[in-house]
Amino acid sequence: MLAKVFSAAVQGIDAYPVEVEVNDGYGDMMNIVIVGLPDAAVKESRDRVITALENSGFRLSLGKVTVNLAPADIKKEGPSFDLPIAVGMLAASSQIQMAQPEAYMMVGELALDGTVRPVKGVLPIAFCARQAGKMALLTPPENAAEAAVVQGLQVIPVRNLREATSFLEGQAAIAPVQLDVARLFEQTHDEELDMADVKGQESVKRALEIAAAGGHNILLIGPPGTGKSMLAKRLPGILPPLTLEEALETTKIHSIVGLLRPGQALVTTRPFRNPHHTASDAGLLGGNINPTPGEISLAHHGVLFLDELPEFKRSVLETMRQPMEEGRVTISRAAGTMTFPAQFMLVAAMNPTPDGKMPGESRCSPREIQNYLGRISGPLLDRIDLHVEVPQVKFREITAARPGETSATIRARVMAARRRQLERFQGRGITCNARMSSRDLKKHCVLDEATLELLKQAMNQMNLSARAYDRILKVGRTIADLEGAEQLAWHHVSEAINYRNLDRQLWG
């Protein structure tokens, strides 16, 4: 007998429907064959499913059982097909009678006792189920909240194979999981990491506020112990909250990598990724044999913090240049080509010299200093909008009783500036000034004669590139937005130029 059930598989950050066709043949010996380009984990489903069926009290059919995963020209990965294969085998052997098999999609790994275990990528699978017109999605209980984010789809949590078959036959009722998405966003910031805890460094806080307001990349340069990492970790606390659309995009990426906690429905806070400097290009960009997202995609709509920037391999840093410009990364492997989103804020930190001291105080030779700084290329520096010195904190600032501004206060100004940008770029898909195109710069960054002359002098004296020119205008536009100014003024551009000055002092 032939039976058909429905599942889905993840490709990139989206999912596509998979038909699980099971044909129960005849013979004297049991033989299960899985076709449709299964990987090793899918092939191992045969042994897990046989044992789970036996331990759940079902009989095993003798003869050849053929399982086809269609479409057959796309490679299938992971253990998520265990549950649909088991249900298909039961339907093909007439041990269960499903009233509406085409109305359901199901995913789940089976333990040897028939328990349904959580799998990766359930959120994109839930979107796929709704798009395919399915009435309900059967998932492991740990993945149910994640799938319930998708409106217009019933999410049925099933704890084991017996419970799943009883529901599909109409013998047991399982209430769909209900989720209030609005409540998930009520607490979105970590109040323990507050800017008020950082003593001094007002100029650096100002630069971080500008970076947050415009989505700009920023480089912090200073001796050890000045608070570079402390400041960077507090940057997500002054960023605007994620919108529902941004949260869904971010959650998709974290779901397919398996970073969601059991029962977690959404990623409601902006990601903060902090890879070690020994990370490879595959770890940072993504890759492996079957392309998966890397750290820059996991930081989508959030912050990618690279501490000790010169310690990263130069080849690894150079691979980031295109994703920083385009907001996405394309990975080509023998298994296929995948494109992952990567709209992140880069926050990098480094010492000014190998021994951590400023160039005038360092005991390192000029050649050693130049070799150290030369690990970071000029084209990469051009893509970082703000270069900020983080000086040593004075004793009176450390012992000052008066607290600094809180993250909530700074965040309010950042959100006001972002609202101006959203109104300016309404309908364009641009969320911040850092994503402006050349056409947008001409339209929204008009300069008067005095400001134009200032920028001309800076370009000539500092030997800035055309890309640096664009970055200055974008930062100046953000500074004006923080003030609520409609037009770019001389002092906006002057402050933006100052954030390009430090790199010329060190690298120039």
Side-chain angles (χ1 to χ4, degrees):
M1 180 179 174
L2 176 65
K4 184 186 292 185
V5 295
F6 297 89
S7 185
V10 175
Q11 188 176 39
I13 64 168
D14 296 310
Y16 61 94
V18 174
E19 294 183 6
V20 182
E21 301 171 308
V22 182
N23 187 73
D24 193 2
Y26 298 95
D28 298 329
M29 295 182 61
M30 183 176 63
N31 181 23
I32 300 177
V33 179
I34 301 177
V35 296
L37 284 182
D39 72 346
V42 180
K43 290 179 181 179
E44 290 174 354
S45 295
R46 175 179 53 229
D47 300 314
R48 288 193 300 271
V49 168
I50 290 173
T51 309
L53 288 171
E54 192 173 23
N55 289 333
S56 298
F58 296 103
R59 61 178 172 82
L60 299 177
S61 300
L62 294 178
K64 182 177 180 180
V65 177
T66 304
V67 179
N68 180 40
L69 306 177
D73 60 341
I74 303 177
K75 193 173 183 64
K76 317 300 186 306
E77 303 173 2
S80 61
F81 296 106
D82 289 6
L83 179 60
I85 288 175
V87 171
M89 290 176 62
L90 293 174
S93 61
S94 301
Q95 295 186 63
I96 63 171
Q97 301 292 329
M98 293 188 292
Q100 294 179 289
E102 69 282 351
Y104 300 99
M105 188 176 278
M106 58 193 78
V107 291
E109 177 186 344
L110 287 179
L112 298 185
D113 62 355
T115 301
V116 181
R117 287 175 170 167
V119 293
K120 301 176 183 178
V122 170
L123 180 59
I125 289 174
F127 277 108
C128 176
R130 185 181 67 178
Q131 187 175 6
K134 303 303 179 185
M135 180 180 69
L137 173 67
L138 275 64
T139 72
E142 293 87 349
N143 296 127
E146 172 188 348
V149 171
V150 180
Q151 302 296 312
L153 178 72
Q154 294 182 22
V155 177
I156 310 298
V158 289
R159 293 173 294 179
N160 52 60
L161 183 57
R162 271 288 180 187
E163 191 172 79
T165 55
S166 297
F167 173 80
L168 291 169
E169 288 188 295
Q171 298 177 1
I174 302 177
V177 174
Q178 302 293 330
L179 189 68
D180 185 356
V181 177
R183 292 196 63 182
L184 299 176
F185 290 90
E186 289 181 356
Q187 181 63 34
T188 58
H189 293 284
D190 187 354
E191 301 301 335
E192 292 184 3
L193 297 176
D194 199 294
M195 281 289 185
D197 300 330
V198 182
K199 299 293 186 179
Q201 305 294 17
E202 297 304 320
S203 62
V204 186
K205 292 179 186 177
R206 165 67 175 173
L208 287 173
E209 180 180 339
I210 295 170
H216 302 290
N217 302 321
I218 184 171
L219 172 63
L220 305 177
I221 307 173
T226 54
K228 299 186 295 294
S229 300
M230 186 179 186
L231 286 158
K233 290 176 181 178
R234 281 156 176 76
L235 180 59
I238 65 173
L239 288 171
L242 285 170
T243 64
L244 178 58
E245 182 180 355
E246 291 174 336
L248 289 172
E249 285 184 0
T250 305
T251 306
K252 273 186 179 182
I253 300 170
H254 286 241
S255 174
I256 63 177
V257 179
L259 292 181
L260 295 183
R261 301 185 305 274
Q264 183 180 3
L266 271 179
V267 175
T268 56
T269 57
R270 294 194 178 270
F272 181 86
R273 304 296 300 179
N274 183 15
H276 194 259
H277 61 77
T278 56
S280 64
D281 54 351
L284 205 61
L285 266 73
N288 300 321
I289 298 174
N290 298 308
T292 54
E295 289 291 340
I296 64 173
S297 293
L298 292 171
H300 184 52
H301 293 312
V303 175
L304 177 68
F305 178 46
L306 301 184
D307 200 6
E308 303 296 342
L309 186 65
E311 301 300 329
F312 284 81
K313 294 180 182 177
R314 179 161 178 163
S315 59
V316 173
L317 294 178
E318 293 303 295
T319 58
M320 292 177 52
R321 284 159 50 180
Q322 185 176 359
M324 288 170 66
E325 286 287 330
E326 299 181 356
R328 63 181 183 273
V329 56
T330 301
I331 303 167
S332 296
R333 295 290 185 272
T337 299
M338 300 290 178
T339 298
F340 299 110
Q343 290 188 11
F344 60 91
M345 276 183 62
L346 173 65
V347 180
M350 60 175 287
N351 299 328
T353 59
D355 61 2
K357 298 180 180 179
M358 295 304 290
E361 305 169 355
S362 175
R363 294 184 177 180
C364 300
S365 68
R367 180 178 292 274
E368 289 174 329
I369 296 174
Q370 196 59 42
N371 289 340
Y372 176 75
L373 297 175
R375 299 176 189 176
I376 307 169
S377 69
L380 180 62
L381 280 172
D382 273 348
R383 287 169 169 82
I384 301 178
D385 304 359
L386 298 94
H387 309 130
V388 184
E389 181 182 356
V390 185
Q392 292 283 4
V393 184
K394 296 180 175 61
F395 178 78
R396 57 182 176 81
E397 293 176 331
I398 298 175
T399 57
R402 183 180 177 183
E405 279 190 312
T406 64
S407 292
T409 303
I410 302 173
R411 185 168 64 246
R413 294 197 296 267
V414 169
M415 290 175 63
R418 285 286 184 108
R419 281 193 294 269
R420 296 185 183 96
Q421 295 165 47
L422 290 174
E423 292 173 2
R424 181 183 302 130
F425 306 120
Q426 191 172 13
R428 297 279 313 284
I430 300 175
T431 57
C432 58
N433 287 332
R435 298 290 169 187
M436 279 195 290
S437 65
S438 299
R439 183 177 299 179
D440 294 316
L441 286 175
K442 292 179 181 178
K443 182 178 179 181
H444 303 295
C445 299
V446 179
L447 305 179
D448 57 28
E449 289 296 330
T451 309
L452 196 60
E453 182 61 28
L454 170 69
L455 194 49
K456 177 184 176 181
Q457 292 178 7
M459 292 283 293
N460 293 333
Q461 293 177 8
M462 299 167 63
N463 195 26
L464 297 175
S465 66
R467 182 180 288 110
Y469 171 84
D470 288 348
R471 301 280 172 171
I472 289 172
L473 290 181
K474 291 176 181 180
V475 173
R477 180 66 265 176
T478 299
I479 296 170
D481 288 338
L482 283 168
E483 288 187 5
E486 292 296 327
Q487 298 293 327
L488 269 180
W490 189 90
H491 64 281
H492 300 144
V493 175
S494 176
E495 184 176 359
I497 291 171
N498 284 333
Y499 293 123
R500 307 294 307 192
N501 194 38
L502 181 62
D503 66 309
R504 298 302 162 183
Q505 294 176 20
L506 294 175
W507 282 270

